[in-house]
Amino acid sequence: MLYQSPDAADAESPLKPEELQVLRAQYEKEGEYVGVQTKFNYAWGLIKSSARNEQQEGVRLLSDIFRNAPERRRECLYYLALGNYKLGNYAEARRYNDLLVDHEPGNLQAGSLRGLIDDKVAREGLVGVAIVSGVAVAAAVVGSMIFKGTRRR
């Protein structure tokens, strides 16, 4: 059976504070004996957050599940990819998403997320090129002004 994850647009809509608080309360109530499902649910809510520190905590919790509960790795992949994408960790996002696509080549959400990751990397790459080009032009202008100034003397 193909697991269908919500798409990236769904993850951009954070839970209401009271909904996240329900997940947090259950997680804290279970304490050191927190169940994998409770931890997963809380991590999912944190990944959906618009607060960077909550997204980081969600990725940390999912990474812990991924390492320590092999039977749950598959369901962690999409959210690890999504959480890393939201944090700007595009190489990690791509790595987790590619693992998911390897297991489920027909997963439409993973395909959609792959497109988002690739677009963001391309866009940020173009911005980086523009910044480097701008710095080079500015250096050339300053250099030519200095050169012209020394020739006039």
Side-chain angles (χ1 to χ4, degrees):
M1 181 175 144
L2 183 67
Y3 173 80
Q4 293 296 314
S5 303
D7 64 17
D10 175 59
E12 292 298 328
S13 56
L15 297 178
K16 294 176 184 159
E18 55 274 9
E19 293 171 326
L20 185 56
Q21 182 53 40
V22 168
L23 297 174
R24 179 179 289 119
Q26 182 62 38
Y27 175 78
E28 290 171 351
K29 177 182 171 188
E30 292 183 25
E32 67 179 275
Y33 302 106
V34 65
V36 174
Q37 187 62 50
T38 299
K39 186 185 277 191
F40 181 87
N41 292 346
Y42 182 44
W44 167 81
L46 292 169
I47 293 291
K48 288 178 62 78
S49 174
S50 53
R52 185 171 177 81
N53 64 324
E54 290 181 342
Q55 294 166 357
Q56 289 170 327
E57 178 66 5
V59 167
R60 188 190 68 72
L61 291 172
L62 284 171
S63 295
D64 185 54
I65 295 169
F66 189 82
R67 275 191 311 275
N68 298 316
E71 72 282 2
R72 302 298 293 266
R73 285 184 179 152
R74 187 5 241 111
E75 54 192 316
C76 290
L77 288 173
Y78 178 77
Y79 291 105
L80 281 166
L82 189 61
N84 278 290
Y85 168 77
K86 290 178 75 174
L87 290 168
N89 303 330
Y90 304 123
E92 281 296 294
R94 182 177 280 144
R95 185 173 71 88
Y96 285 117
N97 199 60
D98 286 349
L99 284 170
L100 178 57
V101 170
D102 288 347
H103 284 71
E104 296 178 6
N107 188 307
L108 298 176
Q109 288 78 18
S112 173
L113 184 56
R114 175 185 276 168
L116 290 174
I117 294 166
D118 290 346
D119 288 348
K120 195 71 156 182
V121 167
R123 235 176 309 150
E124 289 195 3
L126 290 176
V127 169
V129 168
I131 290 170
V132 169
S133 298
V135 168
V137 168
V141 169
V142 169
S144 71
M145 289 172 55
I146 291 171
F147 181 71
K148 285 180 183 177
T150 58
R151 284 182 49 192
R152 288 185 186 173
R153 291 184 188 172

